[in-house]
């Protein structure tokens, strides 16, 4: 074999150095060298099926990234390789006629391989293998016809390999653009699934697909966190998502495309854009932008028989969803319902609440634990109830610990009526006098009816507390030692605190 081809063959498996791509194929050699190249290329065009067979076999043996695709559909890969070789070898003979068709073919290959999840390095290696095989056949054919003409190929070698590099660049750009579109589509599908689960509109048949995509067990234990800024407080740009550190015991969900001990296998089949999959969940249209953002340019080549590239959704990270008035996070809980300290025990929700580190003025509500993805709609409504029970100044409320407050905020009309009936007589007092009585009454209830502890909180004598309580009873006709009146007073105070305009 002539020595001229050795340096090119030796660097095949390395990274070919990038060079400025010419705007069009242009030989730097004289007419004689170009004629030698064209003559050899015409012979290659005539024997393209044999060349295609050799390249497909070389890809199967030397490039693991292509092996699965060839085993799955060898005929399709053969047609793709043959189509690419026909346009690319034709470009060596008639660059103007074949250039655009060759570019379209390379772009299409890059998009298809991105959707199949073939690594980009494998795709670029395949193109360089094809370039090396074509170059070797050009040299072999020239040497067979006239060995003295081999030296002339040196003058066109740079142009041939610049052509290969140009198409590697086209393939790489198309691959990365398709990868971005696929990533955007998967994120949009995930967003739609989370929204359907939290809205309670997901069908039972959708849950298996949702569990696989989100990396969550269908029958796991969950709670929902709702976060919002304080009413009338400073509005920060972007969603109010506090840093959240969940307990270390939370398991990590299996990546998308894999199955874990509690997770179903991912179904690789996907429905066409805008239609439901087998489970019925809507798939995001690639030309529809999420939440006011513009989508990517054009849909990629759709292959319904292939799974998207694996994407990990860590089970320890909450899955967020933006609502009209609050941010919601799906929290995966651990343990078994019957285990001490498990999700049936409020201690785990206590730990999550303690881990929240929200900016001042942020209101956060954590709903009760629920069983299964099907109950996430209920969990969201419970979290909204907990959020409404948060003080206007901010704070974190666990619904299970504030059920009386939850009763008040879930029926604001009845809560306001109760507050007016029980506390209405105090409104005839001077505002400062009224506020002192209400503050004393609240401190006494928080101290479990101990005047001594209430006085310590208010920095006054216990007798002063008792005198204020006695005055309240005289003004309202209530008796704080009567359980029914004590319950009404407690709920009325909660309604006055939570429902105040």
């Amino acid at each position: 074999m002539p020595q001229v081809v050795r340096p090119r063959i030796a660097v095949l498996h390395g990274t070919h150095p990038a060079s400025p791509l010419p705007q069009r194929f242009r030989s730097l050699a004289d007419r004689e060298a170009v004629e030698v190249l064209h003559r050899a290329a015409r012979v290659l065009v005539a024997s393209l099926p044999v060349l295609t067979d050799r390249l497909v076999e070389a890809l199967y043996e030397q490039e693991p990234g292509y092996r699965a695709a060839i085993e799955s559909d060898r005929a399709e890969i053969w047609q793709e390789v043959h189509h690419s070789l026909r346009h690319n070898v034709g470009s060596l003979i008639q660059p103007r006629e074949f250039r655009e068709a060759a570019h379209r073919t390379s772009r299409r290959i890059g998009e298809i391989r991105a959707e199949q999840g073939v690594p980009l390095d494998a795709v670029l290696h395949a193109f360089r293998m094809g370039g090396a095989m074509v170059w070797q056949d050009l040299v072999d054919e020239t040497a067979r016809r006239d060995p003295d003409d081999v030296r002339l190929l040196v003058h066109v070698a740079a142009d041939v390999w610049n052509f290969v590099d140009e198409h590697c660049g086209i393939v790489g750009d198309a691959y990365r653009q398709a990868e971005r579109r696929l990533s955007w589509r998967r994120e949009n599908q995930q967003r739609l699934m989370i929204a359907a689960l939290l809205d309670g509109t997901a069908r039972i048949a959708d849950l298996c697909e949702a569990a696989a995509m989100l990396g969550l067990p269908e029958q796991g234990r969950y709670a929902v966190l709702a976060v919002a800024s304080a009413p009338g407080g400073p509005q920060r740009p972007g969603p109010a998502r506090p840093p959240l550190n969940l307990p270390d015991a939370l398991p990590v969900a299996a990546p998308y495309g894999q199955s874990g001990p509690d997770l179903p296998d991912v179904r690789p089949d996907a429905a066409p854009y805008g239609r439901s999959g087998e489970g019925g969940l809507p798939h995001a249209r690639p030309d529809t932008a999420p939440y006011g953002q513009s989508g990517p340019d054009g849909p990629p080549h759709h292959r319904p028989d292939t799974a998207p590239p694996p994407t990990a959704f860590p089970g320890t990270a909450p899955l967020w969803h933006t609502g009209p008035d609050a941010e919601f996070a799906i929290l995966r809980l651990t343990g078994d319902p019957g285990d001490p300290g498990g999700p049936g025990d409020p201690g785990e929700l206590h730990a999550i609440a303690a881990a929240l580190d929200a900016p001042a003025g942020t209101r956060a509500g954590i709903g009760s634990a629920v069983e299964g993805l099907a109950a996430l709609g209920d969990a969201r409504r419970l979290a909204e109830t907990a959020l409404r029970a948060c003080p206007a100044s901010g704070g974190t409320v666990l619904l299970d610990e504030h059920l009386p407050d939850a009763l008040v905020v879930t029926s604001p009309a009845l809560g306001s009526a109760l507050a007016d009936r029980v506390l209405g007589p105090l409104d005839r007092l001077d505002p400062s006098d009224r506020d002192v009585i209400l503050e004393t009454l609240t401190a006494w209830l928080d101290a479990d009816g101990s005047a001594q502890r209430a006085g310590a909180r208010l920095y006054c004598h216990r007798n002063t507390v008792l005198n204020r309580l006695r005055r309240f009873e005289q003004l309202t006709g209530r008796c704080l030692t009567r359980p029914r009146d004590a319950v009404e007073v407690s709920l009325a105070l909660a309604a006055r605190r939570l429902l105040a305009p």
Side-chain angles (χ1 to χ4, degrees), residues 281-331:
L281 273 174
H283 289 275
R285 289 173 51 88
D287 55 348
T288 304
Y291 304 111
Q293 301 177 7
S294 57
D297 299 331
H301 177 74
H302 180 60
R303 295 184 54 84
D305 58 332
T306 58
T311 301
F313 297 105
T316 55
L319 297 178
W320 288 94
H321 173 70
T322 301
D325 301 315
E327 293 281 329
F328 298 96
I330 299 175
L331 308 177

Side-chain angles (χ1 to χ4, degrees), residues 262-289:
D262 298 322
L263 301 178
D265 292 333
V266 177
R267 293 184 316 203
D269 50 306
Y273 308 135
R275 296 177 57 189
S276 299
E278 291 185 5
L281 273 174
H283 289 275
R285 289 173 51 88
D287 55 348
T288 304

Side-chain angles (χ1 to χ4, degrees), residues 54-76:
R54 290 167 49 211
L55 182 53
V56 171
E57 189 61 31
L59 287 174
Y60 183 81
E61 294 178 355
Q62 301 178 31
E63 181 46 66
Y66 267 74
R67 195 165 296 151
I70 294 174
E71 289 176 348
S72 174
D73 196 341
R74 191 181 190 93
E76 180 185 358

Side-chain angles (χ1 to χ4, degrees), residues 79-93:
Q79 289 294 337
E80 178 186 285
V81 172
H82 184 268
H83 197 64
S84 178
L85 287 174
R86 179 162 58 87
H87 286 96
N88 291 336
V89 176
S91 296
L92 299 178
I93 305 171

Side-chain angles (χ1 to χ4, degrees), residues 35 38 46 53 64 81 89 100 132 135 170 175 187 222 264 281 287 327 366 402 413-414 417 452 465 486 499:
E35 289 177 353
H38 287 179
D53 288 338
V81 172
V89 176
E100 288 304 320
W135 173 252
I170 292 171
Y175 185 101
E187 291 173 1
Y222 300 98
L281 273 174
D287 55 348
E327 293 281 329
I366 302 177
H402 294 79
L414 292 179
Q452 185 73 34
V465 172
L499 304 177

Side-chain angles (χ1 to χ4, degrees), residues 271-490:
Y273 308 135
R275 296 177 57 189
S276 299
E278 291 185 5
L281 273 174
H283 289 275
R285 289 173 51 88
D287 55 348
T288 304
Y291 304 111
Q293 301 177 7
S294 57
D297 299 331
H301 177 74
H302 180 60
R303 295 184 54 84
D305 58 332
T306 58
T311 301
F313 297 105
T316 55
L319 297 178
W320 288 94
H321 173 70
T322 301
D325 301 315
E327 293 281 329
F328 298 96
I330 299 175
L331 308 177
R332 166 87 185 278
L333 304 180
T334 61
D336 296 324
D339 292 344
D345 189 330
E348 184 174 15
L349 294 178
H350 274 288
I352 294 175
L356 284 173
D357 183 15
T362 300
R363 299 158 55 236
I366 302 177
S368 304
V370 298
E371 181 70 38
L373 293 178
L376 282 178
D378 295 334
R380 178 190 61 83
R381 288 185 283 273
L382 293 173
E384 287 180 323
T385 300
L387 184 63
R388 291 199 299 271
C390 284
S393 58
T396 300
V397 165
L398 287 175
L399 181 64
D400 291 344
E401 293 185 349
H402 294 79
L403 293 178
D405 292 351
L407 289 174
V408 170
V409 298
T410 52
S411 184
L414 292 179
S416 297
L418 179 63
D420 291 340
R421 179 182 176 185
V422 175
L423 305 178
L426 299 182
D427 292 335
R428 295 191 292 268
L429 299 176
D430 183 84
S432 59
D433 195 13
R434 177 198 62 202
D435 292 344
V436 167
I437 293 178
L438 291 177
E439 181 184 20
T440 302
L441 186 59
T442 300
W444 180 76
L445 289 172
D446 290 342
D448 297 327
S450 170
Q452 185 73 34
R453 293 202 301 273
R457 294 185 182 186
L458 299 173
Y459 301 101
C460 64
H461 195 274
R462 63 180 299 275
N463 289 339
T464 302
V465 172
L466 294 175
N467 289 335
R468 293 173 181 173
L469 296 178
R470 195 173 300 114
R471 188 182 180 197
F472 168 80
E473 291 178 329
Q474 292 171 352
L475 291 171
T476 61
R478 304 284 166 171
C479 179
L480 295 176
T481 58
R482 188 161 47 228
R484 180 187 181 91
D485 286 355
V487 170
E488 290 185 353
V489 169
S490 176

